[in-house]
Amino acid sequence: MDTNDNKSVLKDKLDIVLSSGLIEKVKNKSIKEKRSISEIIEEALKRYVDDSNDDSRIRLEAFKRFTSSKKTLSREEIDELLNKDYYDQ
């Protein structure tokens, strides 16, 4: 069995300038998640430039709004949240 069967991804090195505060946040996330800084930045950029990710952001915002309430929601409130057109905002 050939050990080079893994798909390799061609990658380029990029020099970028980021604020020290942002770099510190990325380093901390890297340590916490046991991932490389490069992985975290690449994932963030993919999410940012991927147009199909707009639906994910809308769903995430709806989820945050839905779960932010400390009270029990009525059936009508749930239906209103689920049927709200977030593109009109």
Side-chain angles (χ1 to χ4, degrees):
M1 179 174 202
D2 189 357
T3 59
N4 293 327
D5 284 344
N6 295 338
K7 290 183 180 180
S8 63
V9 177
L10 207 51
K11 295 189 177 196
D12 289 325
K13 186 173 181 176
L14 177 67
D15 291 327
I16 57 174
V17 177
L18 300 172
S19 70
S20 59
L22 181 58
I23 292 171
E24 192 62 34
K25 286 180 182 180
V26 173
K27 283 181 182 178
N28 290 337
K29 186 176 182 77
S30 165
I31 293 167
K32 181 180 176 185
E33 296 181 5
K34 297 180 182 170
R35 297 174 31 193
S36 72
I37 291 172
S38 179
E39 286 178 295
I40 293 169
I41 292 174
E42 184 172 355
E43 179 183 318
L45 284 172
K46 281 180 183 177
R47 286 182 181 179
Y48 181 76
V49 299
D50 186 8
D51 292 339
S52 66
N53 211 18
D54 289 340
D55 289 341
S56 295
R57 281 194 292 266
I58 292 168
R59 286 193 300 273
L60 181 59
E61 179 62 29
F63 174 77
K64 286 180 182 177
R65 288 182 183 189
F66 184 76
T67 58
S68 66
S69 178
K70 301 293 184 204
K71 64 175 186 154
T72 303
L73 298 176
S74 68
R75 175 72 180 184
E76 292 78 23
E77 291 170 316
I78 293 171
D79 287 340
E80 181 183 340
L81 285 169
L82 293 175
N83 293 318
K84 185 168 180 140
D85 188 0
Y86 287 96
Y87 289 107
D88 289 338
Q89 294 184 8

